[in-house]
Amino acid sequence: MTSNLNDFLTTRKQAIEDYLFTYVQELHIPEDLKSSMLYSLEAGGKRLRPVLVLALLNAYGKSEKDGIPVGCAVEMIHTYSLIHDDLPCMDDDDLRRGKPTNHKVYGEATAVLAGDALLTESFRLITSQLSDNVSADQKLRIIDELVKSAGALGMVGGQFDDMEAEQKQQIPLAELESIHARKTGKLLTFSVAAGAMLAGASDDDIENLREFSYHIGIAFQIRDDILDLEGSEEKIGKRVGSDTANEKSTYPSLLTLSGAKEKLNEHITRAKKIVSNLELEQQLLHDLCDLIASRDH
Amino acid sequence: MTSNLNDFLTTRKQAIEDYLFTYVQELHIPEDLKSSMLYSLEAGGKRLRPVLVLALLNAYGKSEKDGIPVGCAVEMIHTYSLIHDDLPCMDDDDLRRGKPTNHKVYGEATAVLAGDALLTESFRLITSQLSDNVSADQKLRIIDELVKSAGALGMVGGQFDDMEAEQKQQIPLAELESIHARKTGKLLTFSVAAGAMLAGASDDDIENLREFSYHIGIAFQIRDDILDLEGSEEKIGKRVGSDTANEKSTYPSLLTLSGAKEKLNEHITRAKKIVSNLELEQQLLHDLCDLIASRDH
């Protein structure tokens, strides 16, 4: 990782977490519900989605200020989805990033409500926390994009199809891609598109960036599957080999490990090429592509 | 019930249901997820929340057209909350309005996701389905109001405190009111306020109407508690006496049955008085107050 990228990731992660935790801490809501929401928000991770929002603003040479609430909105949605996905009736996971999952600490009922609360509240970061530099029309466009990315057309629909696919022995590659493009890809696309919208990018640029984020989304998922085979349990915070044990269809299981690595490189190459054709500062986005391709957690 | 009110309720319920079912049917989302969402949306009810949005527009002499998507948004949120509240880890209900609950038919995982999908999608009815007569600023104000009413500051927070209160023997009346004001009251207030906002009502009127809806919200809940003691199982679609069996704090248990009836009348009287001081067509809103006070389901 280049020192510039490292510096960018560290400072932005800090800015996002400061804003996010303060925002939730200051809500006048039942204390135990707030604790449950904060527990999962604080459980951390790379904050990749908000970082992408800020990276786009940075690449266009714009102030990153309004990217922070928008980034926190998508982080809230990502966090709620993890809480609900971990529930006993869903993936039934006891550990997430090496810590007990929300329902193991707060009980299932609170976990359901904490997820519902995070999902709902995320939209208010956009209605009420952006500066006057963002027009009402821009805000509505971002909310509309967030709904399409997070709801039944996007992430929730992908999670639903993923659950159904787990009942089957093996699924075709096209179906696997459709599931991941929605389950994990759509929120990444939201982050990139919303950053570009805030930066005032042209509609053409935004369309190209959607394609860019489609490729990094697939690359992200392939890397996830590879880490499940080759990763360090300590770094990824969960048991290695669980996909194989669960007989889950993955890129390596459908393409072999070396085939999956090749596909990962293809998607990263295509993502970088799209960026190279845009009029913006390219280095940071190229570095993020490399990070997604080679991350160890 | 006056024939005018009856006519209003019948025609508007139809218009709302036509719009709501068509909107969801036309979404390009996984079919089984859609079935689960539609199952609970179609399970019916009085559609009181959307009817209130339209009643306000009607009382101000304005077109009700844009009230329909806004009313459907709040109905989606009401429906998602019922699906999640009925889950085994929450109230664990097998029946809702005389039909098996969502998770009994579709399984818990699908019920969680159908709820998440309805909650998320509700906001898109406001971002994408209103006419140009509604400004971007008005739409944002309505979304902001919906988040505050539905999320941790409102309904979700009320449901959380209600769950905690069930662990206790008896709770003070003030706490009971605070719970109901959020758990059921806030969405009613949203409906009234959003209808007034769409009608272009003054901020003063909107504040008065918030107080109006606070009173009808409490009255609505008292009537609910009374029906649990005196209602017809066939009409209310659930077992009579369940609150008593569950040793739940209710208005009759805290105030006696006749005390609860007196309080119900007080709130209805105060609600009507607020309406009488506003410059709008009062009859429909007065009739709705009477309906809330005397409904048998």
Side-chain angles (χ1 to χ4, degrees):
Chain A
M1 191 152 56
T2 68
S3 69
N4 273 350
L5 178 63
N6 200 12
D7 182 56
F8 185 83
L9 294 176
T10 310
T11 52
R12 271 48 171 201
K13 183 173 191 277
Q14 189 66 52
I16 288 154
E17 291 182 347
D18 286 350
Y19 186 95
L20 185 60
F21 303 160
T22 304
Y23 180 84
V24 174
Q25 260 147 9
E26 288 178 356
L27 291 174
H28 293 284
I29 61 175
E31 281 304 320
D32 293 347
L33 179 61
K34 190 192 285 188
S35 299
S36 164
M37 291 160 73
L38 281 168
Y39 175 79
S40 290
L41 289 173
E42 289 170 353
K46 297 169 291 294
R47 313 296 182 191
L48 178 62
R49 291 154 195 81
V51 161
L52 279 171
V53 180
L54 301 183
L56 264 290
L57 282 159
N58 187 287
Y60 276 106
K62 295 292 163 70
S63 158
E64 294 169 33
K65 189 167 169 286
D66 287 312
I68 292 189
V70 172
C72 290
V74 64
E75 189 68 13
M76 277 192 187
I77 291 201
H78 173 57
T79 303
Y80 114 74
S81 77
L82 301 181
I83 297 174
H84 282 189
D85 286 2
D86 286 338
L87 287 169
C89 67
M90 306 270 276
D91 294 346
D92 194 15
D93 277 317
D94 294 352
L95 283 179
R96 161 79 60 188
R97 293 173 185 144
K99 289 175 68 179
T101 45
N102 196 294
H103 66 271
K104 296 302 283 184
V105 180
Y106 293 92
E108 281 181 58
T110 299
V112 170
L113 292 175
D116 293 344
L118 286 168
L119 167 54
T120 315
E121 196 62 31
S122 69
F123 293 101
R124 208 153 68 93
L125 285 163
I126 303 165
T127 56
S128 74
Q129 301 295 304
L130 300 183
S131 76
D132 291 343
N133 295 332
V134 187
S135 72
D137 280 322
Q138 277 178 300
K139 289 179 198 168
L140 283 172
R141 189 177 178 197
I142 291 170
I143 293 171
D144 195 68
E145 183 82 21
L146 188 52
V147 170
K148 284 188 281 188
S149 306
L153 292 162
M155 183 185 72
V156 170
Q159 168 66 9
F160 182 83
D161 281 343
D162 193 25
M163 267 173 24
E164 300 238 302
E166 279 176 25
Q167 313 301 318
K168 301 175 195 166
Q169 277 300 83
Q170 187 94 315
I171 59 169
L173 186 63
E175 195 179 330
L176 186 73
E177 292 215 344
S178 158
I179 288 171
H180 290 310
R182 286 172 291 142
K183 185 178 171 177
T184 56
K186 283 279 188 180
L187 282 195
L188 297 174
T189 302
F190 168 81
S191 303
V192 168
M197 286 173 192
L198 287 171
S202 68
D203 287 350
D204 263 6
D205 271 22
I206 292 172
E207 279 321 299
N208 283 316
L209 285 164
R210 282 185 205 282
E211 216 182 311
F212 160 78
S213 53
Y214 173 79
H215 291 298
I216 65 170
I218 300 286
F220 183 86
Q221 185 59 46
I222 300 177
R223 185 70 197 157
D224 226 45
D225 289 352
I226 293 172
L227 284 173
D228 188 72
L229 290 173
E230 295 191 329
S232 139
E233 291 198 359
E234 207 178 316
K235 283 184 179 153
I236 63 176
K238 62 178 182 185
R239 209 149 36 82
V240 163
S242 63
D243 290 342
T244 315
N246 297 332
E247 295 185 340
K248 222 177 147 163
S249 293
T250 65
Y251 285 91
S253 79
L254 294 180
L255 300 174
T256 77
L257 181 57
S258 71
K261 287 181 177 174
E262 201 177 306
K263 200 165 178 67
L264 168 61
N265 283 332
E266 266 171 41
H267 282 289
I268 291 295
T269 305
R270 290 174 72 179
K272 283 184 176 178
K273 198 169 163 209
I274 292 166
V275 169
S276 298
N277 289 326
L278 295 174
E279 278 184 41
L280 43 68
E281 176 55 44
Q282 298 163 3
Q283 194 57 52
L284 179 61
L285 298 180
H286 280 179
D287 288 350
L288 280 167
C289 288
D290 289 333
L291 176 70
I292 284 169
S294 63
R295 69 198 170 86
D296 59 10
H297 66 286
Chain B
M1 187 153 56
T2 67
S3 69
N4 273 352
L5 177 63
N6 201 12
D7 182 55
F8 185 84
L9 294 176
T10 310
T11 52
R12 272 48 171 201
K13 184 173 190 278
Q14 189 66 52
I16 289 153
E17 291 182 346
D18 285 349
Y19 187 96
L20 184 60
F21 302 160
T22 304
Y23 180 84
V24 175
Q25 261 147 8
E26 289 179 354
L27 291 173
H28 293 284
I29 61 176
E31 282 304 320
D32 293 347
L33 180 62
K34 190 192 284 187
S35 299
S36 165
M37 293 161 73
L38 282 168
Y39 175 79
S40 290
L41 288 172
E42 289 170 354
K46 298 170 290 293
R47 314 296 183 190
L48 178 62
R49 292 154 195 81
V51 160
L52 279 171
V53 179
L54 300 183
L56 264 291
L57 282 160
N58 186 287
Y60 275 106
K62 296 290 163 72
S63 157
E64 295 169 32
K65 189 168 169 286
D66 287 313
I68 292 189
V70 172
C72 289
V74 64
E75 188 68 13
M76 275 191 189
I77 290 199
H78 174 57
T79 303
Y80 115 74
S81 77
L82 301 181
I83 297 174
H84 282 189
D85 286 2
D86 286 338
L87 286 169
C89 67
M90 305 270 277
D91 295 346
D92 194 14
D93 277 316
D94 294 351
L95 283 181
R96 161 79 60 188
R97 294 173 184 143
K99 289 175 68 179
T101 45
N102 196 295
H103 65 272
K104 295 303 282 184
V105 179
Y106 293 93
E108 281 181 58
T110 299
V112 170
L113 291 175
D116 293 344
L118 286 168
L119 167 54
T120 314
E121 196 62 30
S122 69
F123 294 100
R124 209 152 68 93
L125 285 163
I126 303 164
T127 56
S128 74
Q129 301 295 304
L130 300 183
S131 76
D132 291 343
N133 295 331
V134 188
S135 72
D137 280 321
Q138 277 178 300
K139 289 178 198 169
L140 283 172
R141 190 178 178 196
I142 291 171
I143 293 171
D144 195 68
E145 183 83 21
L146 187 53
V147 170
K148 283 188 281 190
S149 306
L153 292 161
M155 183 184 73
V156 170
Q159 168 67 8
F160 183 83
D161 281 343
D162 193 26
M163 267 173 23
E164 300 238 302
E166 280 177 25
Q167 314 301 320
K168 301 175 194 166
Q169 277 301 83
Q170 188 95 314
I171 59 170
L173 186 64
E175 196 178 328
L176 186 72
E177 292 214 344
S178 158
I179 288 170
H180 290 310
R182 287 173 291 142
K183 186 178 171 177
T184 56
K186 283 280 186 179
L187 282 196
L188 297 173
T189 301
F190 167 80
S191 303
V192 168
M197 286 173 193
L198 286 173
S202 68
D203 288 348
D204 264 6
D205 271 22
I206 292 172
E207 278 323 299
N208 284 315
L209 284 164
R210 280 184 206 282
E211 217 182 311
F212 160 79
S213 53
Y214 173 80
H215 291 297
I216 64 169
I218 300 285
F220 183 86
Q221 185 59 46
I222 300 176
R223 186 70 198 154
D224 225 45
D225 290 351
I226 293 172
L227 284 174
D228 187 72
L229 290 173
E230 295 192 327
S232 138
E233 292 198 357
E234 207 178 316
K235 282 185 178 152
I236 62 176
K238 62 177 180 183
R239 208 148 37 82
V240 163
S242 64
D243 291 343
T244 315
N246 298 332
E247 295 183 341
K248 223 178 146 162
S249 292
T250 65
Y251 285 91
S253 79
L254 294 179
L255 300 173
T256 76
L257 181 57
S258 71
K261 287 179 177 176
E262 201 176 303
K263 200 165 178 66
L264 169 62
N265 283 331
E266 266 171 39
H267 282 290
I268 291 294
T269 305
R270 291 175 70 180
K272 283 183 175 177
K273 198 169 163 210
I274 291 166
V275 168
S276 299
N277 289 326
L278 295 175
E279 280 183 40
L280 43 68
E281 174 57 43
Q282 298 163 4
Q283 194 58 51
L284 178 62
L285 298 180
H286 279 181
D287 287 349
L288 280 168
C289 288
D290 289 332
L291 175 71
I292 285 169
S294 62
R295 68 198 169 88
D296 59 9
H297 66 285

